[in-house]
Amino acid sequence: MDHSGHHPPSSSSEHQHAAPPAATWAMAAQATLHCLTGCAIGEVLGMVIGTALGLSNLTTVILSVALAFVFGYALTMRGVLRAGVDFKSALKVALAADTISIAVMEVLDNTVMVTVPGAMDAGLGNWLFWVALAGSLLVAFLLTTPVNKWLISRGKGHAVIHQYHQGHGGHGGHQGHDDHEGHQGHEAHHGHQGHQGH
């Protein structure tokens, strides 16, 4: 009896799941906006603390960069941890997904803040400080989006999160699909035996 119909499909479909997602501008913008949210929180907080305490420009920039990484990683880890992943694995995903994006973004927005005359020395009540900060974040978003698109197209950056969630959430569905096919094959096998009996 030919059992070829009962063999599971080739592993080519499984390899397709591991392929990097199509890198669209919308996906890149969404990934950049995600990073920008965490970066903006850390950046603003660092600038506010540094300005309020009268810290030097260098110290303020270092504080802002450190806080931007902390909050950027924290936002990514929050989403991954909700999927039931342990802290260590979630941290690895965040590091792989956000490090390059946050680094590029921080170089850009801090460069803008330092180069705008008087922005770093302006007080919190000075409109120049807030305009320069908002402008620096906008520049960072516009110039980091192409970087994220390039990373996603090569399976890096936020493509890591996409593939992780796809593999983590799609495993049960794939298994259920195999069980369904096996159940159909089992019924067909019994039906064929019954037909032969007649």
Side-chain angles (χ1 to χ4, degrees):
M1 186 183 297
D2 183 14
H3 290 282
S4 61
H6 302 296
H7 288 300
S10 65
S11 59
S12 61
S13 61
E14 295 178 359
H15 290 299
Q16 290 176 359
H17 288 297
T24 63
W25 283 108
M27 182 181 294
Q30 184 178 15
T32 306
L33 187 61
H34 176 88
C35 282
L36 184 65
T37 302
C39 286
I41 295 173
E43 185 78 17
V44 171
L45 186 59
M47 289 291 177
V48 168
I49 293 174
T51 303
L53 297 180
L55 302 178
S56 67
N57 289 351
L58 178 60
T59 304
T60 301
V61 168
I62 293 174
L63 178 62
S64 297
V65 171
L67 290 176
F69 272 97
V70 169
F71 282 97
Y73 289 144
L75 286 182
T76 296
M77 288 180 63
R78 184 183 65 172
V80 178
L81 287 170
R82 284 178 178 175
V85 183
D86 62 276
F87 183 87
K88 185 177 180 180
S89 298
L91 179 59
K92 288 181 179 179
V93 172
L95 291 174
D98 289 339
T99 299
I100 296 178
S101 179
I102 294 176
V104 172
M105 196 170 291
E106 285 306 295
V107 168
L108 291 171
D109 61 29
N110 281 289
T111 298
V112 172
M113 285 297 296
V114 172
T115 54
V116 172
M120 294 293 293
D121 298 323
L124 298 179
N126 193 322
W127 62 270
L128 177 61
F129 172 81
W130 296 106
V131 170
L133 185 57
S136 70
L137 294 174
L138 178 60
V139 170
F141 174 79
L142 293 176
L143 297 184
T144 307
T145 297
V147 175
N148 275 326
K149 187 175 185 294
W150 182 82
L151 289 171
I152 293 171
S153 68
R154 283 154 180 75
K156 301 180 184 298
H158 270 245
V160 175
I161 298 178
H162 178 85
Q163 292 174 356
Y164 182 84
H165 280 303
Q166 188 180 48
H168 188 76
H171 179 72
H174 183 68
Q175 184 178 10
H177 180 68
D178 289 344
D179 291 342
H180 179 66
E181 288 183 347
H183 182 66
Q184 286 182 330
H186 184 68
E187 289 180 345
H189 178 67
H190 279 288
H192 184 67
Q193 283 184 335
H195 180 71
Q196 285 182 334
H198 287 299

